[in-house]
Amino acid sequence: MLLSNQAYNLLYTGNILESIEYYEQSYNYYIDHKLNVGGIAEYIFKPWANNYTRLGDYEKALFIQKRTLDYALKEKDQLLAASTYNNMAISYRSLGDFRNAEQFIQMGLQGLGQGSQIKILLNNTLADVYKDSGRNREAERVITENILFQRKQVPDFETAYWLLSSYITAGDIQLAK
């Protein structure tokens, strides 16, 4: 925890490279000591991978995201797996690999219940993938359905943020059309 907190603090002081080093140390400590504590995904994997996406190094981000997915599947944490599939899809999209991006979104959507809110994030990403690959009609369909789904949710800070993101995506799609 000390190493991951140091990494977090370094990130917020603008020192991403040193932050990455501390996340690596934290992960190595976790592995070397065979720790079985919760929170590795939230306190190490996710912020570590996010640091690489901030730098535009999507290959390294994907490497860590795959570790996160392995952990989520081992722990049978469906929500963590779905959000990791979403993050991997974003990394593939950023690399221009729309086929893999779409495939990871579909894997993330599998097994989620009808009311699962993680679908909002996955569908926002899917609409972006469709838009970026020139499939504007499919992008418009997905984002429209996603906005309609969100209007049925109980509003709170998080759902308002997601809805704003959906409207931004919808606007981007209209601009592309």
Side-chain angles (χ1 to χ4, degrees), residues 14-153:
N15 195 339
I16 294 174
L17 295 176
E18 198 167 344
S19 174
I20 288 171
E21 288 180 30
Y22 274 86
Y23 280 121
E24 288 175 4
Q25 289 178 35
S26 182
Y27 175 72
N28 289 334
Y29 187 91
Y30 176 87
I31 295 301
D32 291 346
H33 293 85
K34 297 176 178 68
L35 298 178
N36 188 19
V37 295
I40 186 171
E42 294 298 321
Y43 293 106
I44 299 174
F45 287 140
K46 284 184 176 185
W48 186 17
N50 287 342
N51 275 346
Y52 280 114
T53 62
R54 285 179 182 96
L55 296 175
D57 191 341
Y58 299 103
E59 288 88 1
K60 285 186 181 170
L62 280 163
F63 176 80
I64 297 163
Q65 289 163 343
K66 288 175 185 175
R67 298 289 172 274
T68 311
L69 182 60
D70 290 343
Y71 173 80
L73 295 174
K74 183 183 125 213
E75 295 295 315
K76 296 180 174 57
D77 187 335
Q78 189 174 18
L79 290 179
L80 176 59
S83 68
T84 304
Y85 282 125
N86 187 63
N87 290 339
M88 293 175 78
I90 292 169
S91 291
Y92 280 116
R93 173 183 167 234
S94 298
L95 290 168
D97 185 346
F98 303 125
R99 185 184 59 77
N100 269 326
E102 185 176 353
Q103 178 183 353
F104 276 87
I105 292 165
Q106 297 304 333
M107 289 190 300
L109 288 169
Q110 289 177 1
L112 292 177
Q114 287 297 337
S116 177
Q117 290 191 343
I118 194 75
K119 284 183 169 186
I120 296 168
L121 298 177
L122 289 158
N123 283 321
N124 277 355
T125 302
L126 182 59
D128 281 328
V129 168
Y130 285 158
K131 176 189 61 71
D132 289 352
S133 61
R135 297 160 63 187
N136 292 327
R137 181 174 282 153
E138 291 171 90
E140 185 175 31
R141 177 190 53 78
V142 169
I143 203 64
T144 299
E145 290 173 5
N146 208 28
I147 289 170
L148 292 173
F149 173 75
Q150 290 177 75
R151 287 183 182 163
K152 297 175 187 173
Q153 303 301 305

Side-chain angles (χ1 to χ4, degrees), residues 124 150 158-170:
N124 277 355
Q150 290 177 75
E158 191 170 73
T159 58
Y161 177 78
W162 292 346
L163 184 57
L164 173 63
S165 177
S166 295
Y167 280 124
I168 290 169
T169 299

